[in-house]
Amino acid sequence: MSGEDKTAAHPSSMHELLRAIPKVDEFLGWVEQIKAPVRFIKAAVREVLAAEREIILGGQSRRPEDLGRDVLLAKFSARLKDKLTPNFRTVINGTGVIIHTNLGRSLLPPEAMQGLVKVGSRYSNLEFDLTTGKRGSRYALVEDLLCELTGAEAGLVVNNNAAAVLLALDTLAKGREVIVSRGQLVEIGGSFRIPEVMEKSGAYLREVGATNRTHLRDYEGAITEQTSLLLKVHTSNYRIIGFTSEVGLPELVELGRRHGLPVMEDLGSGSLVDLSRFGLEKEPTVPEVVKAGVDVVTCSGDKLLGGPQAGLILGTREIIGRIKKNPLNRALRIDKFTLAGLEAILRLYCDEEKALSAIPTLAMMGMAPEVIGRRAARLVRRIGKALAGRCGVAVVAAASRVGGGAMPEQDLPSRAVALRPVIMKVTDLEKKLREASTPVIGRIENEAYLLDMRTVADDEVPALADVLFEVFEVANR
Ligand SMILES: *Cc1c(COP(=O)(O)O)cnc(C)c1O
């Protein structure tokens, strides 16, 4: 071992160990040849030394050789590498969850990416009317497309669906009551809860019915002078089964009409195409909800729509006009990249067949298991031999999920590559893949690590194989 101890004596006292920690300047001398920003080098050195000090002061057993030069340099290199690695990175999604909120939800097709790149590097007519030469509205850039595709009279787009709901409630119901079924008080991903959004908007929640059953008479009985809105919320991520009943949108719309009250639906995912073609249960599409006569409907841009993060608000000209004028709108507004991406996505929807093949979220939903199986077989061909003896590799049947809170109980039949490691525990494999140069995220099922190939793109297969070689320390393929 080349690290020389300064304190050779054993057992070392805490004091001796502390003295054996090199000084910052000495350490910097060891690494002065390394090419990296000085601030990262200094920070890494300080962190390594502080960590050693802490361990010693914490009384954990430490031998002088733990403070050897090579040992410390290895720790330094790991920390420096960490600092030089971007925090925001791409990962390979082997979970089979298509709209994975933690992994970035929907992927944009090249058509949309080109739009983003263009407006990012050039000036644009973001808020400039090229016909009149006067100030324009950023919402106008997508409003006609939204109306065309959904049948709504008017529409606008904000930061996300949570913002859309907040803005709509703030505009329509501040200081007054909103009637909602007890079965629809959803929480999405921990931070969006209907009762809390309602409170923030200054509207008062008037819950009606029971968790499993709400009737039209419950809504009707709760209507008072104070009522401003009837709200229906899509129970995106859960399902109430058994003895249940919900009031349909047409009945709610009719009730609203009779009492002169607007009706709003938070559709959550919001699809523009009928998803039953993918073997999934029929869900009302945005155009169907608009057609049912709802006054306002909100949905996400990056769930089933397959676009960038955004919140779509569609409705009557009168109500959308009021929402546009709400000063809160300015704080929730959509940025130019999102608008560029969204416009490109909406243009793809103008030809439904094109949308189904070009928009990754929809294309992934539509993939046949046999096609996914061929992709899985390609990975197995690349890695099978090289991993022999280290890991069992096989193509197995699996079930993908739509994700994004949509259709929580429905499976899409898929194919996965199952890895059964021999030289390490399956939990260690999961961790190593997650921490690899290109992080890979899969799932453990029945002691096997599964990579559902539905959400792994064809052009990611070689990179995925390389990560597996890296993790199993196979020199080359
Ligand atoms: C997902 C969802 C939201 C939140 O939408 P974001 O775009 O994530 O802000 C709100 N309501 C429902 C019913 C949802 O499913």
Side-chain angles (χ1 to χ4, degrees):
M1 193 174 149
S2 68
E4 325 74 335
D5 306 333
K6 291 178 182 165
T7 52
H10 277 273
S12 312
S13 71
M14 188 181 282
H15 188 65
E16 283 165 357
L17 282 168
L18 285 173
R19 270 201 327 198
I21 298 177
K23 296 284 168 288
V24 172
D25 286 341
E26 183 187 359
F27 205 127
L28 286 173
W30 299 346
V31 297
E32 70 188 352
Q33 298 302 321
I34 292 178
K35 295 221 176 349
V38 175
R39 65 170 67 236
F40 285 153
I41 293 183
K42 284 187 171 166
V45 166
R46 273 193 225 103
E47 283 172 22
V48 168
L49 300 181
E52 291 306 321
R53 207 168 295 124
E54 198 147 307
I55 290 171
I56 295 166
L57 290 172
Q60 289 176 48
S61 80
R62 222 50 182 155
R63 297 156 311 161
E65 32 305 11
D66 294 333
L67 296 168
R69 178 168 161 159
D70 287 357
V71 177
L72 294 182
L73 278 176
K75 290 183 176 173
F76 162 83
S77 295
R79 281 188 192 258
L80 183 64
K81 184 170 167 225
D82 201 45
K83 289 184 193 298
L84 294 173
T85 307
N87 296 331
F88 196 10
R89 297 157 72 190
T90 60
V91 307
I92 293 177
N93 176 8
T95 64
V97 179
I98 300 169
I99 307 167
H100 197 306
T101 294
N102 303 142
L103 303 184
R105 287 198 183 161
S106 286
L107 309 183
L108 296 182
E111 288 88 342
M113 289 313 302
Q114 283 154 14
L116 259 73
V117 170
K118 230 188 271 176
V119 301
S121 53
R122 301 282 179 190
Y123 290 110
S124 62
N125 62 337
L126 179 63
E127 289 188 350
F128 185 76
D129 186 328
L130 294 170
T131 312
T132 63
K134 299 213 171 81
R135 190 198 160 114
S137 148
R138 64 179 65 209
Y139 308 107
L141 298 171
V142 289
E143 186 167 12
D144 57 344
L145 281 166
L146 285 172
C147 295
E148 172 66 33
L149 292 167
T150 64
E153 280 177 18
L156 91 156
V157 187
V158 290
N159 180 60
N160 58 8
N161 187 35
V165 174
L166 176 67
L167 183 61
L169 291 176
D170 184 273
T171 308
L172 302 174
K174 195 182 196 111
R176 301 180 58 205
E177 285 183 4
V178 178
I179 303 179
V180 191
S181 159
R182 285 201 167 89
Q184 298 172 358
L185 299 175
V186 307
E187 170 179 310
I188 313 282
S191 51
F192 177 91
R193 289 170 151 184
I194 285 293
E196 287 167 17
V197 173
M198 190 83 72
E199 199 182 316
K200 270 280 172 247
S201 74
Y204 299 103
L205 173 63
R206 179 78 168 83
E207 299 172 35
V208 294
T211 306
N212 57 333
R213 286 171 76 85
T214 303
H215 309 281
L216 194 65
R217 62 173 184 274
D218 296 322
Y219 286 92
E220 186 144 33
I223 294 174
T224 68
E225 308 267 82
Q226 277 309 302
T227 309
S228 61
L229 182 71
L230 307 178
L231 175 64
K232 184 170 163 68
V233 183
H234 191 276
T235 57
S236 301
N237 52 4
Y238 68 100
R239 183 61 56 101
I240 298 174
I241 54 165
F243 184 55
T244 66
S245 119
E246 241 190 10
V247 175
L249 194 59
E251 292 78 36
L252 211 56
V253 165
E254 197 276 322
L255 181 69
R257 294 273 147 81
R258 253 193 292 133
H259 291 268
L261 290 169
V263 176
M264 167 169 155
E265 175 155 17
D266 171 13
L267 203 49
S269 244
S271 178
L272 292 181
V273 298
D274 182 354
L275 300 175
S276 55
R277 57 157 50 79
F278 301 130
L280 294 164
E281 232 164 70
K282 165 97 184 115
E283 287 256 357
T285 63
V286 181
E288 285 164 356
V289 169
V290 169
K291 201 164 175 208
V294 72
D295 300 277
V296 204
V297 53
T298 67
C299 68
S300 266
D302 55 354
K303 291 185 185 169
L304 288 172
L305 199 77
Q309 179 192 303
L312 279 50
I313 313 177
L314 302 154
T316 62
R317 205 165 287 119
E318 189 266 324
I319 285 182
I320 298 297
R322 281 163 63 197
I323 293 175
K324 282 180 182 167
K325 288 201 207 93
N326 187 333
L328 188 57
N329 189 8
R330 175 66 175 74
L332 305 174
R333 81 178 180 189
I334 186 170
D335 76 295
K336 62 181 175 180
F337 299 107
T338 310
L339 267 170
L342 186 62
E343 181 181 358
I345 292 288
L346 294 175
R347 285 193 181 277
L348 286 172
Y349 273 107
C350 294
D351 175 349
E352 192 169 298
E353 286 313 309
K354 182 127 193 239
L356 290 169
S357 62
I359 297 173
T361 297
L362 299 179
M364 281 190 259
M365 286 172 71
M367 279 187 86
E370 302 75 52
V371 176
I372 304 169
R374 283 199 286 278
R375 190 182 279 170
R378 255 184 77 213
L379 178 64
V380 170
R381 273 199 301 280
R382 269 182 179 263
I383 62 171
K385 270 208 192 89
L387 297 194
R390 299 170 201 243
C391 183
V393 178
V395 178
V396 298
S400 313
R401 284 282 163 99
V402 174
M407 300 164 231
E409 295 301 318
Q410 295 183 63
D411 291 337
L412 291 164
S414 185
R415 297 288 180 270
V417 172
L419 301 173
R420 294 180 182 276
V422 178
I423 58 168
M424 64 180 93
K425 287 195 295 206
V426 69
T427 47
D428 291 335
L429 176 62
E430 184 277 330
K431 181 172 170 6
K432 280 176 192 276
L433 285 170
R434 178 161 40 82
E435 293 174 348
S437 55
T438 299
V440 174
I441 317 295
R443 66 172 192 276
I444 296 174
E445 224 175 79
N446 301 327
E447 300 297 305
Y449 182 87
L450 295 192
L451 288 166
D452 186 325
M453 298 303 284
R454 184 189 296 272
T455 47
V456 176
D458 270 327
D459 65 1
E460 285 175 327
V461 170
L464 177 52
D466 286 344
V467 174
L468 289 164
F469 297 141
E470 171 187 321
V471 161
F472 282 100
E473 296 176 15
V474 177
N476 58 48
R477 41 222 101 142

